[in-house]
Amino acid sequence: MTFGFAPSSAASLSTSASAASASRMLEPAEWAAAGIPLLRNPREVVSGLHARHRPGPSTAIVAVLDPDERLRASASFIRRPAPADGWQFRNALLSQLRRVIPHDLRRRTPVRTAVLLYCREGDARWTEEDGAWMWGLRDACTLHGLRCGAYITLTRDGWQVLGEGRGGRRPHAGSAPEPFATAEAPPPLPRTGGVASEILRRAAAR
């Protein structure tokens, strides 16, 4: 007669859930091999999103760029405190994309590109949380008809485009927003002098 203990169903479910979650992330080598398009001016993109959304820790910003890297839409949200899971991140990103811009699923090839900026604690080195965001971004782009673009982290040390080795010290997670090119220009100041000015002066004196 043999005695033993069969694993509980709860333990089996927990183990399978952990394995599934671990598979829903991308390693840096996988991300680099995925052919992610390079940003022509990553600092301008980062500065623009930072000034527009002013992210704090655990803030994710998903943005859609046109072929000329002009910003077409963006949305930010706070990540809920839960284990990193690419599937959950994918759903959150897809929900934001659907809210701010129509899908491009009818196109044969994607034209617009989605990038993700994530503000977090720690340094710029890759973490499993980053891997889950990468998986989520790639899957959300596929489901929304977009090209998967850069994944950028923003920490106290600065910003870093993961998989590319490009980064900078400003902006960083604690810096004040910087002015950026897409901001609306202030209205021009009225000119002084000339015939129009003289007419206005006379009208005001009446």
Side-chain angles (χ1 to χ4, degrees):
M1 185 178 293
T2 304
F3 295 93
F5 296 92
S8 68
S9 59
S12 298
L13 288 174
S14 177
T15 302
S16 61
S18 299
S21 178
S23 67
R24 291 192 289 261
M25 67 174 59
L26 294 176
E27 299 281 345
E30 294 176 295
W31 183 256
I36 305 299
L38 301 178
L39 289 170
R40 289 195 295 271
N41 193 336
R43 188 184 187 283
E44 183 176 314
V45 172
V46 173
S47 296
L49 294 177
H50 181 265
R52 185 179 295 271
H53 293 276
R54 304 188 179 190
S58 299
T59 301
I61 305 171
V62 61
V64 179
L65 309 177
D66 69 11
D68 295 322
E69 286 192 5
R70 290 190 295 258
L71 181 65
R72 289 308 177 197
S74 65
S76 62
F77 59 97
I78 303 296
R79 185 205 155 182
R80 294 178 180 177
D85 186 337
W87 186 76
Q88 296 288 347
F89 291 169
R90 186 276 308 271
N91 290 344
L93 292 170
L94 193 57
S95 173
Q96 297 297 325
L97 288 170
R98 287 171 173 166
R99 185 173 62 85
V100 298
I101 198 163
H103 67 75
D104 276 348
L105 294 172
R106 293 185 180 90
R107 292 183 177 273
R108 291 185 177 179
T109 56
V111 174
R112 297 180 292 189
T113 303
V115 300
L116 177 60
L117 174 69
Y118 183 55
C119 181
R120 61 167 173 78
E121 302 289 354
D123 56 34
R125 287 177 293 184
W126 181 89
T127 66
E128 290 188 354
E129 181 185 24
D130 295 325
W133 278 117
M134 290 170 168
W135 190 96
L137 176 63
R138 186 185 65 176
D139 218 41
C141 288
T142 299
L143 294 173
H144 206 64
L146 302 170
R147 286 201 309 171
C148 180
Y151 172 67
I152 308 160
T153 57
L154 188 71
T155 66
R156 292 284 176 180
D157 296 332
W159 57 272
Q160 179 81 17
V161 185
L162 267 67
E164 294 185 20
R166 293 192 290 174
R169 294 185 177 180
R170 294 188 65 87
H172 55 76
S175 63
E178 300 178 6
F180 59 105
T182 55
E184 293 184 2
L189 294 175
R191 295 180 179 179
T192 57
V195 177
S197 178
E198 180 63 21
I199 293 174
L200 289 174
R201 187 187 65 77
R202 290 177 181 178
R206 290 175 184 173

